[in-house]
Amino acid sequence: RIDPGRADVGALLAAADLLIHPARHELGGLVLLEAMVAGLPTLCTSACGFAEHVTRAEAGTVLDGPFRQAHLDEALAAMLASPLEPLGEAGLAHAASVDLHGMHDRIADEIEAVGQGRAGA
């Protein structure tokens, strides 16, 4: 089911203890960046394109594929058994030090540069 956009996503993130995003196929996973900006620890899979930010920030746990429910269950139990605040703080620090908001423009610039390079070849 695909729901339309919501105006209360920030409030939902603020009310949560952690974000779980066990994607099997996900090019971006923008919700991972949104969670970091909200200081929300994250449990996700490496199938998410932005999972590298969770890893770099040490803002949660990234599970390698292929997806296994038992691995997700174990990782969730481990996260819940440990303090979550340091993960949220790490995500906030990473979000403050990296331009997460300008990535779309940067990606578009890179695509245009590649296209221009091919046009001149």
Side-chain angles (χ1 to χ4, degrees):
R1 176 174 120 177
I2 299 175
D3 291 325
R6 301 176 60 137
D8 62 346
V9 171
L12 293 171
L13 292 173
D17 293 321
L18 65 111
L19 172 77
I20 302 174
H21 188 48
R24 294 177 189 223
H25 304 285
E26 175 79 62
L27 293 177
L30 191 57
V31 69
L32 304 182
L33 304 181
E34 292 170 340
M36 264 196 239
V37 170
L40 190 59
T42 300
L43 170 58
C44 65
T45 61
S46 60
C48 296
F50 295 135
E52 68 183 60
H53 286 280
V54 176
T55 300
R56 274 195 270 151
E58 298 180 3
T61 301
V62 177
L63 301 174
D64 290 327
F67 178 81
R68 299 277 187 263
Q69 184 66 50
H71 294 160
L72 179 72
D73 297 346
E74 291 168 12
L76 177 59
M79 286 182 76
L80 293 175
S82 301
L84 294 173
E85 292 82 10
L87 299 174
E89 291 168 3
L92 285 170
H94 181 75
S97 68
V98 175
D99 179 19
L100 299 177
H101 304 289
M103 281 197 280
H104 294 94
D105 292 333
R106 211 169 66 232
I107 291 168
D109 290 345
E110 289 180 25
I111 291 170
E112 288 176 356
V114 168
Q116 290 173 353
R118 288 187 180 163

XYZ file of all heavy atoms in Angstrom:
862
model
N 0.844 -1.171 0.000
C 0.000 0.000 0.000
C 0.887 1.230 0.000
O 1.852 1.305 0.763
C -0.864 -0.060 1.252
C -1.727 1.135 1.442
C -2.631 0.912 2.610
N -2.352 1.941 3.573
C -2.978 2.096 4.692
N -3.870 1.222 5.060
N -2.695 3.077 5.473
N 0.602 2.166 -0.855
C 1.344 3.418 -0.918
C 0.414 4.534 -0.472
O -0.627 4.777 -1.085
C 1.873 3.696 -2.332
C 2.834 2.569 -2.744
C 2.552 5.061 -2.389
C 3.329 2.669 -4.156
N 0.776 5.174 0.604
C -0.027 6.273 1.132
C 0.488 7.591 0.582
O 1.674 7.720 0.254
C 0.056 6.303 2.662
C -0.640 5.116 3.300
O -1.668 4.677 2.760
O -0.158 4.633 4.337
N -0.390 8.586 0.513
C 0.055 9.915 0.071
C 0.952 10.545 1.135
O 1.027 10.069 2.272
C -1.254 10.694 -0.090
C -2.227 9.994 0.792
C -1.823 8.549 0.805
N 1.647 11.615 0.757
C 2.504 12.324 1.696
C 1.729 12.808 2.903
O 0.508 12.983 2.855
N 2.432 13.025 3.991
C 1.811 13.462 5.239
C 2.510 14.711 5.733
O 3.715 14.850 5.587
C 1.941 12.384 6.307
C 1.308 11.077 5.941
C 1.576 10.052 7.011
N 1.035 10.486 8.282
C 0.373 9.700 9.125
N 0.199 8.435 8.820
N -0.085 10.160 10.258
N 1.766 15.558 6.390
C 2.337 16.783 6.949
C 2.908 16.563 8.350
O 3.620 17.415 8.860
C 1.264 17.868 6.998
N 2.624 15.404 8.957
C 3.036 15.173 10.341
C 4.212 14.207 10.486
O 4.425 13.636 11.552
C 1.849 14.668 11.155
C 1.301 13.330 10.642
O 1.661 12.921 9.521
O 0.508 12.719 11.376
N 5.009 14.037 9.446
C 6.125 13.095 9.493
C 7.109 13.478 10.595
O 7.586 12.627 11.346
C 6.840 13.000 8.125
C 8.128 12.194 8.231
C 5.911 12.382 7.104
N 7.397 14.764 10.732
C 8.311 15.207 11.790
C 7.813 14.828 13.171
O 8.584 14.369 14.025
N 6.524 14.972 13.401
C 5.940 14.606 14.691
C 6.007 13.095 14.915
O 6.265 12.639 16.034
C 4.490 15.092 14.773
N 5.802 12.321 13.858
C 5.905 10.866 13.981
C 7.333 10.444 14.315
O 7.551 9.582 15.171
C 5.448 10.190 12.685
C 3.969 10.322 12.349
C 3.693 9.792 10.950
C 3.110 9.616 13.380
N 8.304 11.050 13.648
C 9.707 10.735 13.931
C 10.065 11.134 15.361
O 10.773 10.404 16.063
C 10.628 11.432 12.935
C 10.554 10.930 11.495
C 11.386 11.819 10.573
C 10.982 9.489 11.372
N 9.579 12.278 15.810
C 9.877 12.751 17.161
C 9.257 11.847 18.221
O 9.804 11.713 19.325
C 9.383 14.190 17.332
N 8.140 11.210 17.914
C 7.455 10.350 18.878
C 8.035 8.934 18.921
O 7.770 8.183 19.854
C 5.967 10.280 18.544
N 8.841 8.580 17.938
C 9.368 7.215 17.827
C 10.642 7.036 18.647
O 11.357 7.994 18.941
C 9.645 6.882 16.365
N 10.926 5.783 19.003
C 12.176 5.448 19.677
C 13.270 5.117 18.673
O 14.446 5.377 18.920
C 11.982 4.256 20.618
C 11.087 4.596 21.788
O 11.198 5.718 22.313
O 10.264 3.748 22.170
N 12.898 4.500 17.557
C 13.848 4.199 16.492
C 13.082 3.929 15.208
O 11.882 3.686 15.231
C 14.752 3.010 16.839
C 14.116 1.646 17.006
C 14.534 0.745 15.858
C 14.590 1.031 18.305
N 13.800 3.999 14.106
C 13.220 3.737 12.794
C 13.707 2.374 12.321
O 14.901 2.087 12.378
C 13.659 4.799 11.777
C 13.268 4.500 10.330
C 11.798 4.803 10.110
C 14.127 5.268 9.363
N 12.761 1.557 11.845
C 13.113 0.272 11.230
C 12.695 0.351 9.773
O 11.537 0.601 9.467
C 12.393 -0.899 11.918
C 12.724 -0.941 13.400
C 12.768 -2.210 11.242
C 11.938 -1.984 14.167
N 13.668 0.147 8.881
C 13.398 0.202 7.441
C 14.057 -1.015 6.782
O 15.157 -0.926 6.237
C 13.944 1.508 6.869
C 13.550 1.759 5.442
N 12.261 1.631 4.969
C 14.295 2.131 4.380
C 12.230 1.918 3.679
N 13.455 2.218 3.297
N 13.388 -2.182 6.844
C 13.992 -3.412 6.318
C 13.732 -3.617 4.833
O 13.172 -4.623 4.419
C 13.315 -4.494 7.162
C 11.956 -3.935 7.422
C 12.147 -2.437 7.553
N 14.133 -2.664 4.034
C 13.879 -2.732 2.591
C 14.655 -3.871 1.941
O 15.773 -4.172 2.320
C 14.272 -1.414 1.947
N 14.034 -4.456 0.941
C 14.711 -5.471 0.127
C 15.254 -4.852 -1.151
O 16.257 -5.297 -1.678
C 13.745 -6.599 -0.201
C 13.344 -7.363 1.039
C 12.335 -8.434 0.699
N 11.812 -8.999 1.933
C 11.635 -10.276 2.121
N 11.913 -11.138 1.173
N 11.153 -10.722 3.248
N 14.577 -3.819 -1.654
C 15.008 -3.068 -2.839
C 14.652 -1.612 -2.594
O 13.481 -1.279 -2.486
C 14.292 -3.548 -4.111
C 14.446 -5.008 -4.376
N 15.614 -5.553 -4.850
C 13.600 -6.042 -4.218
C 15.461 -6.851 -4.967
N 14.245 -7.181 -4.589
N 15.642 -0.754 -2.529
C 15.387 0.665 -2.251
C 16.560 1.468 -2.796
O 17.671 1.345 -2.309
C 15.252 0.890 -0.749
C 15.098 2.318 -0.335
C 13.693 2.851 -0.513
O 12.768 2.338 0.112
O 13.550 3.794 -1.306
N 16.311 2.271 -3.818
C 17.397 3.048 -4.411
C 17.891 4.138 -3.475
O 19.083 4.386 -3.372
C 16.956 3.660 -5.737
C 16.692 2.659 -6.854
C 16.191 3.382 -8.092
C 17.936 1.867 -7.160
N 16.978 4.810 -2.812
C 17.376 5.933 -1.973
C 17.204 5.655 -0.507
O 18.150 5.426 0.221
N 15.985 5.663 -0.064
C 15.737 5.515 1.354
C 15.862 6.849 2.061
O 16.506 6.970 3.095
N 15.258 7.872 1.486
C 15.329 9.220 2.041
C 14.885 9.258 3.496
O 15.361 10.069 4.276
C 14.480 10.175 1.191
C 14.628 11.656 1.459
C 16.066 12.105 1.300
C 13.729 12.457 0.536
N 14.016 8.343 3.884
C 13.542 8.302 5.267
C 14.701 8.086 6.239
O 14.647 8.525 7.384
C 12.436 7.234 5.441
C 13.000 5.832 5.302
C 11.732 7.395 6.770
N 15.772 7.448 5.789
C 16.938 7.264 6.654
C 17.573 8.606 6.995
O 17.986 8.842 8.129
C 17.981 6.357 5.982
C 17.523 4.973 5.539
C 18.688 4.201 4.940
C 16.876 4.209 6.668
N 17.653 9.484 6.015
C 18.206 10.815 6.247
C 17.269 11.638 7.123
O 17.722 12.385 8.005
C 18.472 11.523 4.920
C 19.379 10.792 3.935
C 19.574 11.630 2.680
C 20.709 10.424 4.566
N 15.969 11.495 6.884
C 14.997 12.204 7.708
C 15.113 11.764 9.165
O 15.013 12.577 10.079
C 13.577 11.959 7.196
C 13.312 12.602 5.848
C 11.995 12.167 5.225
O 11.452 11.098 5.614
O 11.497 12.891 4.355
N 15.328 10.482 9.388
C 15.489 9.973 10.750
C 16.731 10.574 11.408
O 16.700 10.961 12.576
C 15.575 8.447 10.736
N 17.822 10.657 10.663
C 19.049 11.241 11.215
C 18.842 12.682 11.624
O 19.266 13.098 12.703
C 20.180 11.158 10.192
C 21.039 9.972 10.386
S 22.553 10.196 9.470
C 22.415 8.788 8.459
N 18.208 13.451 10.758
C 17.955 14.864 11.041
C 17.062 15.015 12.277
O 17.166 15.994 13.003
C 17.338 15.560 9.803
C 16.835 16.941 10.123
C 18.356 15.611 8.663
N 16.224 14.002 12.528
C 15.343 14.020 13.692
C 16.002 13.398 14.928
O 15.380 13.332 15.985
C 14.045 13.280 13.366
N 17.246 12.926 14.790
C 17.932 12.297 15.916
C 17.369 10.933 16.272
O 17.419 10.508 17.421
N 16.858 10.234 15.272
C 16.220 8.940 15.485
C 17.155 7.806 15.067
O 17.560 7.724 13.902
C 14.932 8.883 14.656
C 13.977 7.732 14.901
C 13.512 7.703 16.343
C 12.782 7.860 13.968
N 17.541 6.934 15.996
C 18.374 5.782 15.631
C 17.679 4.936 14.576
O 16.444 4.878 14.526
C 18.497 5.005 16.944
C 18.224 6.010 18.003
C 17.216 6.955 17.418
N 18.470 4.262 13.739
C 17.921 3.558 12.587
C 18.430 2.130 12.499
O 19.613 1.868 12.686
C 18.299 4.309 11.299
O 17.753 5.624 11.372
C 17.775 3.621 10.066
N 17.505 1.241 12.175
C 17.820 -0.144 11.828
C 17.327 -0.329 10.404
O 16.134 -0.178 10.123
C 17.114 -1.120 12.774
C 17.154 -2.602 12.414
C 18.586 -3.108 12.288
C 16.373 -3.411 13.447
N 18.252 -0.602 9.486
C 17.878 -0.720 8.075
C 18.714 -1.789 7.401
O 19.589 -2.382 8.017
C 18.045 0.626 7.366
S 19.744 1.215 7.285
N 18.443 -1.994 6.132
C 19.215 -2.947 5.347
C 20.148 -2.195 4.401
O 19.921 -1.027 4.079
C 18.280 -3.852 4.521
O 17.524 -3.023 3.633
C 17.353 -4.661 5.407
N 21.160 -2.878 3.951
C 22.114 -2.276 3.013
C 21.497 -2.052 1.643
O 22.112 -1.406 0.792
C 23.375 -3.142 2.893
O 23.038 -4.438 2.431
N 20.276 -2.540 1.421
C 19.584 -2.309 0.152
C 19.196 -0.849 -0.020
O 18.905 -0.422 -1.134
C 18.340 -3.193 0.062
N 19.188 -0.094 1.049
C 18.852 1.332 0.984
C 20.075 2.113 0.529
O 21.147 1.987 1.123
C 18.405 1.856 2.343
S 16.904 1.102 2.944
N 19.899 2.917 -0.475
C 21.016 3.679 -1.009
C 21.670 4.606 -0.002
O 22.870 4.837 -0.057
N 20.905 5.142 0.937
C 21.465 6.062 1.926
C 21.897 5.358 3.205
O 22.251 6.010 4.186
C 20.472 7.181 2.243
C 20.193 8.087 1.069
C 18.913 8.466 0.763
C 21.226 8.552 0.268
C 18.646 9.302 -0.321
C 20.981 9.379 -0.814
C 19.690 9.759 -1.110
N 21.899 4.028 3.220
C 22.329 3.275 4.403
C 23.778 3.588 4.759
O 24.157 3.517 5.930
C 22.154 1.778 4.162
N 24.567 3.972 3.771
C 25.972 4.314 4.046
C 26.078 5.461 5.043
O 27.029 5.535 5.811
C 26.708 4.675 2.759
C 26.232 5.985 2.144
C 26.905 6.319 0.832
O 26.773 5.527 -0.109
O 27.545 7.373 0.772
N 25.087 6.351 5.058
C 25.106 7.452 6.018
C 24.878 6.942 7.440
O 25.480 7.451 8.382
C 24.060 8.516 5.667
C 24.447 9.338 4.488
N 25.332 10.390 4.569
C 24.067 9.254 3.193
C 25.481 10.926 3.377
N 24.729 10.251 2.520
N 24.031 5.950 7.594
C 23.798 5.355 8.909
C 25.091 4.716 9.396
O 25.485 4.881 10.556
C 22.650 4.324 8.859
C 22.479 3.633 10.204
C 21.350 4.987 8.426
N 25.777 4.024 8.510
C 27.043 3.389 8.864
C 28.102 4.428 9.217
O 28.744 4.334 10.265
C 27.542 2.502 7.700
O 26.557 1.493 7.437
C 28.868 1.863 8.031
N 28.299 5.421 8.348
C 29.314 6.450 8.587
C 29.061 7.216 9.872
O 29.986 7.549 10.594
C 29.392 7.432 7.419
C 30.312 6.949 6.313
C 30.648 8.068 5.364
N 29.635 8.073 4.315
C 29.247 9.143 3.654
N 29.762 10.314 3.909
N 28.332 9.062 2.717
N 27.796 7.486 10.147
C 27.436 8.267 11.326
C 27.436 7.425 12.599
O 27.435 7.977 13.691
C 26.048 8.874 11.139
N 27.449 6.106 12.430
C 27.267 5.202 13.570
C 25.965 5.533 14.289
O 25.892 5.618 15.515
C 28.479 5.250 14.511
C 29.751 4.802 13.837
C 30.973 4.840 14.735
O 30.845 5.167 15.936
O 32.059 4.526 14.229
N 24.918 5.734 13.470
C 23.607 6.159 13.954
C 22.614 5.017 14.037
O 21.412 5.251 14.156
C 23.069 7.260 13.050
N 23.098 3.789 13.954
C 22.209 2.642 14.020
C 22.885 1.402 13.488
O 24.105 1.291 13.502
N 22.075 0.495 13.001
C 22.559 -0.789 12.492
C 22.102 -0.971 11.054
O 20.936 -0.752 10.740
C 22.011 -1.950 13.354
O 22.444 -1.762 14.703
C 22.493 -3.297 12.849
N 23.045 -1.369 10.197
C 22.743 -1.666 8.802
C 22.992 -3.157 8.586
O 24.090 -3.645 8.813
C 23.621 -0.832 7.841
C 23.341 -1.216 6.397
C 23.401 0.654 8.064
N 21.953 -3.860 8.179
C 22.049 -5.295 7.937
C 22.424 -5.567 6.486
O 21.832 -4.993 5.578
C 20.706 -5.970 8.236
C 20.172 -5.799 9.656
C 18.768 -6.388 9.749
C 21.099 -6.439 10.658
N 23.398 -6.435 6.276
C 23.774 -6.845 4.930
C 22.744 -7.826 4.379
O 22.086 -8.542 5.129
C 25.154 -7.504 4.924
C 26.264 -6.502 5.190
O 26.115 -5.335 4.766
O 27.255 -6.873 5.828
N 22.620 -7.856 3.052
C 21.691 -8.761 2.396
C 22.303 -10.121 2.208
O 23.500 -10.298 2.421
N 21.541 -11.100 1.831
C 20.105 -11.014 1.600
C 19.348 -10.895 2.927
O 19.842 -11.278 3.988
C 19.774 -12.330 0.892
C 20.809 -13.289 1.367
C 22.051 -12.454 1.580
N 18.134 -10.376 2.840
C 17.327 -10.157 4.029
C 16.992 -11.471 4.719
O 16.614 -12.450 4.074
C 16.021 -9.437 3.658
C 15.121 -9.223 4.847
C 15.349 -8.170 5.711
C 14.074 -10.086 5.111
C 14.540 -7.978 6.822
C 13.260 -9.900 6.220
C 13.498 -8.846 7.072
N 17.162 -11.471 6.023
C 16.779 -12.603 6.865
C 16.045 -12.043 8.075
O 16.592 -11.213 8.807
C 17.998 -13.394 7.346
C 18.835 -14.007 6.247
C 18.221 -15.334 5.800
N 19.088 -16.016 4.879
C 18.968 -15.965 3.560
N 18.030 -15.253 3.017
N 19.789 -16.626 2.794
N 14.824 -12.483 8.288
C 14.019 -11.990 9.403
C 14.729 -12.207 10.734
O 14.696 -11.343 11.625
C 12.645 -12.671 9.421
C 11.724 -12.132 10.504
C 11.330 -10.683 10.276
O 10.891 -10.327 9.185
N 11.477 -9.847 11.298
N 15.395 -13.345 10.901
C 16.096 -13.634 12.161
C 17.178 -12.601 12.441
O 17.377 -12.198 13.593
C 16.691 -15.042 12.126
N 17.876 -12.132 11.397
C 18.911 -11.109 11.580
C 18.284 -9.787 12.023
O 18.829 -9.091 12.887
C 19.716 -10.903 10.301
C 20.529 -12.087 9.916
N 21.003 -12.279 8.639
C 20.941 -13.172 10.610
C 21.676 -13.401 8.572
N 21.642 -13.969 9.766
N 17.156 -9.439 11.424
C 16.450 -8.224 11.815
C 16.007 -8.321 13.269
O 16.192 -7.377 14.054
C 15.247 -7.979 10.902
C 14.426 -6.741 11.232
C 15.185 -5.480 10.843
C 13.085 -6.785 10.537
N 15.438 -9.463 13.648
C 14.979 -9.654 15.028
C 16.127 -9.521 16.021
O 15.990 -8.854 17.058
C 14.318 -11.026 15.182
C 13.062 -11.195 14.336
O 12.528 -10.178 13.824
O 12.623 -12.351 14.183
N 17.266 -10.132 15.714
C 18.438 -10.065 16.601
C 18.965 -8.639 16.715
O 19.308 -8.177 17.810
C 19.546 -10.990 16.081
C 19.234 -12.459 16.193
C 20.215 -13.329 15.418
O 21.276 -12.814 14.984
O 19.923 -14.525 15.243
N 19.046 -7.952 15.591
C 19.559 -6.577 15.601
C 18.623 -5.655 16.375
O 19.079 -4.794 17.141
C 19.753 -6.069 14.171
N 17.323 -5.837 16.210
C 16.358 -5.021 16.938
C 16.473 -5.275 18.438
O 16.503 -4.329 19.232
C 14.932 -5.306 16.449
C 13.820 -4.563 17.187
C 14.011 -3.047 17.097
C 12.463 -4.979 16.632
N 16.557 -6.521 18.835
C 16.699 -6.848 20.251
C 17.976 -6.237 20.827
O 17.962 -5.691 21.937
C 16.691 -8.364 20.451
N 19.061 -6.297 20.073
C 20.330 -5.717 20.536
C 20.221 -4.205 20.680
O 20.719 -3.624 21.661
C 21.457 -6.089 19.577
N 19.580 -3.551 19.718
C 19.429 -2.100 19.802
C 18.573 -1.713 21.002
O 18.900 -0.773 21.728
C 18.830 -1.532 18.513
C 19.806 -1.503 17.353
S 19.083 -0.775 15.860
C 19.119 0.978 16.293
N 17.487 -2.437 21.222
C 16.590 -2.111 22.329
C 17.206 -2.405 23.689
O 16.789 -1.828 24.697
C 15.263 -2.845 22.170
C 14.406 -2.411 20.973
C 13.175 -3.296 20.849
C 14.026 -0.940 21.087
N 18.209 -3.284 23.722
C 18.888 -3.615 24.971
C 19.999 -2.623 25.303
O 20.578 -2.682 26.387
C 19.458 -5.028 24.897
N 20.293 -1.717 24.399
C 21.370 -0.739 24.578
C 20.777 0.663 24.588
O 19.686 0.882 24.057
C 22.381 -0.846 23.426
O 22.928 -2.136 23.385
N 21.509 1.623 25.145
C 21.015 3.010 25.094
C 20.924 3.497 23.649
O 21.853 3.323 22.863
C 22.072 3.798 25.859
C 22.862 2.801 26.620
C 22.754 1.501 25.877
N 19.803 4.090 23.297
C 19.594 4.583 21.934
C 20.067 6.030 21.761
O 20.340 6.450 20.639
C 18.113 4.480 21.555
C 17.552 3.060 21.457
C 16.045 3.098 21.241
C 18.239 2.293 20.343
N 20.162 6.764 22.847
C 20.513 8.182 22.753
C 21.825 8.438 22.021
O 21.897 9.352 21.187
C 20.546 8.830 24.142
C 19.196 8.937 24.797
C 18.744 7.634 25.477
O 19.558 6.695 25.604
O 17.565 7.564 25.841
N 22.900 7.675 22.291
C 24.149 7.939 21.555
C 24.007 7.776 20.035
O 24.637 8.498 19.274
C 25.133 6.908 22.122
C 24.592 6.581 23.476
C 23.094 6.664 23.335
N 23.160 6.852 19.608
C 22.942 6.665 18.170
C 22.223 7.866 17.581
O 22.578 8.356 16.503
C 22.128 5.396 17.918
C 22.738 4.081 18.385
C 21.754 2.936 18.196
C 24.042 3.800 17.673
N 21.214 8.355 18.282
C 20.495 9.541 17.824
C 21.392 10.757 17.766
O 21.350 11.541 16.812
N 22.233 10.920 18.791
C 23.165 12.050 18.814
C 24.180 11.954 17.684
O 24.545 12.964 17.077
C 23.862 12.106 20.172
C 22.925 12.489 21.302
C 23.520 12.284 22.687
O 24.711 11.897 22.789
O 22.783 12.493 23.671
N 24.634 10.736 17.388
C 25.585 10.542 16.284
C 24.932 10.909 14.954
O 25.566 11.516 14.085
C 26.082 9.099 16.269
N 23.664 10.544 14.788
C 22.948 10.902 13.572
C 22.795 12.399 13.427
O 22.986 12.955 12.342
N 22.458 13.073 14.523
C 22.339 14.539 14.493
C 23.671 15.188 14.135
O 23.717 16.132 13.335
C 21.861 15.059 15.853
C 20.386 14.840 16.168
C 20.106 15.164 17.634
C 19.516 15.685 15.259
N 24.760 14.693 14.721
C 26.085 15.253 14.429
C 26.445 15.053 12.967
O 26.986 15.957 12.315
C 27.135 14.616 15.338
N 26.151 13.888 12.437
C 26.441 13.609 11.020
C 25.615 14.521 10.117
O 26.142 15.099 9.161
C 26.154 12.143 10.703
C 26.429 11.755 9.293
N 27.708 11.578 8.800
C 25.592 11.509 8.252
C 27.644 11.240 7.519
N 26.364 11.194 7.167
N 24.332 14.650 10.445
C 23.453 15.501 9.637
C 23.923 16.952 9.648
O 23.789 17.657 8.644
C 22.014 15.403 10.149
N 24.503 17.382 10.766
C 24.997 18.760 10.860
C 26.302 18.959 10.094
O 26.617 20.077 9.687
C 25.196 19.142 12.327
N 27.036 17.877 9.859
C 28.350 18.005 9.224
C 28.357 17.663 7.736
O 29.343 17.899 7.057
C 29.366 17.114 9.941
O 29.062 15.746 9.730
N 27.263 17.110 7.231
C 27.176 16.684 5.831
C 25.987 17.392 5.189
O 24.944 17.540 5.811
C 26.988 15.145 5.756
C 26.773 14.686 4.329
C 28.176 14.432 6.367
N 26.142 17.794 3.949
C 25.051 18.455 3.236
C 24.056 17.413 2.743
O 24.135 16.943 1.616
C 25.601 19.279 2.066
C 24.492 19.969 1.277
O 23.374 20.112 1.802
O 24.762 20.376 0.136
N 23.120 17.048 3.611
C 22.109 16.063 3.242
C 21.016 16.662 2.372
O 20.378 15.969 1.607
C 21.468 15.466 4.501
C 22.403 14.725 5.446
C 21.639 14.253 6.673
C 23.079 13.565 4.746
N 20.807 17.963 2.486
C 19.717 18.617 1.764
C 20.066 18.929 0.312
O 19.176 19.023 -0.517
C 19.304 19.902 2.487
C 18.919 19.656 3.907
N 17.763 19.017 4.272
C 19.573 19.933 5.062
C 17.702 18.922 5.581
N 18.776 19.465 6.089
N 21.345 19.079 -0.008
C 21.744 19.448 -1.358
C 22.100 18.272 -2.244
O 22.578 18.456 -3.363
N 21.867 17.048 -1.766
C 22.275 15.872 -2.533
C 21.562 15.770 -3.865
O 22.165 15.376 -4.854
C 22.044 14.604 -1.720
C 23.135 14.384 -0.700
S 23.136 12.711 -0.095
C 21.836 12.805 1.089
N 20.288 16.120 -3.910
C 19.561 16.013 -5.177
C 20.171 16.939 -6.229
O 20.345 16.547 -7.386
C 18.083 16.346 -4.975
C 17.378 15.353 -4.117
N 17.223 15.523 -2.772
C 16.827 14.157 -4.423
C 16.586 14.472 -2.280
N 16.333 13.637 -3.256
N 20.526 18.151 -5.817
C 21.154 19.082 -6.754
C 22.512 18.558 -7.205
O 22.868 18.652 -8.376
C 21.321 20.462 -6.106
C 19.989 21.156 -5.870
O 19.029 20.857 -6.613
O 19.923 21.988 -4.950
N 23.277 18.003 -6.264
C 24.599 17.481 -6.596
C 24.490 16.311 -7.570
O 25.262 16.207 -8.529
C 25.312 17.057 -5.305
C 26.798 17.212 -5.404
C 27.504 17.048 -4.080
N 27.366 15.691 -3.589
C 26.932 15.365 -2.381
N 26.569 16.281 -1.528
N 26.855 14.117 -2.005
N 23.527 15.437 -7.342
C 23.329 14.289 -8.234
C 22.945 14.778 -9.629
O 23.471 14.294 -10.633
C 22.273 13.332 -7.658
C 22.816 12.643 -6.409
C 21.836 12.302 -8.693
C 21.777 11.910 -5.599
N 22.028 15.747 -9.699
C 21.620 16.293 -10.997
C 22.812 16.923 -11.711
O 22.982 16.747 -12.925
C 20.504 17.313 -10.814
N 23.658 17.645 -10.969
C 24.848 18.254 -11.569
C 25.781 17.188 -12.138
O 26.331 17.350 -13.235
C 25.602 19.103 -10.541
C 24.862 20.370 -10.164
O 23.914 20.761 -10.887
O 25.219 20.968 -9.124
N 25.961 16.098 -11.404
C 26.845 15.027 -11.871
C 26.287 14.356 -13.128
O 27.029 14.049 -14.057
C 27.076 14.008 -10.759
C 27.945 14.553 -9.639
C 28.185 13.542 -8.533
O 28.116 12.324 -8.806
O 28.442 13.978 -7.406
N 24.980 14.142 -13.155
C 24.353 13.535 -14.340
C 24.518 14.454 -15.542
O 24.863 14.005 -16.642
C 22.868 13.224 -14.076
C 22.752 12.091 -13.055
C 22.127 12.875 -15.370
C 21.343 11.867 -12.536
N 24.299 15.751 -15.339
C 24.466 16.704 -16.434
C 25.917 16.748 -16.917
O 26.170 16.824 -18.116
C 24.024 18.099 -15.992
C 22.521 18.220 -15.856
C 22.095 19.588 -15.331
O 22.962 20.422 -14.996
O 20.873 19.793 -15.229
N 26.866 16.667 -16.000
C 28.273 16.695 -16.380
C 28.634 15.475 -17.215
O 29.355 15.591 -18.216
C 29.155 16.763 -15.129
N 28.117 14.327 -16.843
C 28.382 13.120 -17.626
C 27.761 13.263 -19.014
O 28.384 12.952 -20.031
C 27.822 11.871 -16.902
C 27.828 10.656 -17.813
C 28.629 11.596 -15.653
N 26.527 13.772 -19.047
C 25.848 13.968 -20.337
C 26.587 14.935 -21.221
O 26.726 14.730 -22.425
N 27.117 16.015 -20.657
C 27.866 17.002 -21.440
C 29.174 16.414 -21.929
O 29.619 16.700 -23.034
C 28.111 18.265 -20.604
C 26.850 19.055 -20.365
C 27.058 20.209 -19.396
O 28.112 20.351 -18.789
N 26.014 21.015 -19.217
N 29.787 15.564 -21.112
C 31.039 14.924 -21.515
C 30.831 14.007 -22.711
O 31.661 13.928 -23.601
N 29.718 13.331 -22.746
C 29.418 12.431 -23.861
C 29.079 13.220 -25.109
O 29.373 12.806 -26.219
C 28.263 11.500 -23.500
C 28.677 10.463 -22.509
C 27.595 9.453 -22.293
N 28.042 8.455 -21.321
C 27.243 7.651 -20.688
N 25.938 7.709 -20.913
N 27.708 6.785 -19.830
N 28.432 14.365 -24.913
C 28.061 15.198 -26.076
C 29.302 15.743 -26.761
O 29.325 15.892 -27.978
C 27.140 16.335 -25.641
N 30.350 16.007 -25.980
C 31.575 16.557 -26.555
C 32.504 15.502 -27.123
O 33.477 15.798 -27.763
N 32.193 14.220 -26.870
C 33.084 13.149 -27.325
C 32.885 12.828 -28.771
O 31.972 13.121 -29.421
C 32.842 11.891 -26.487
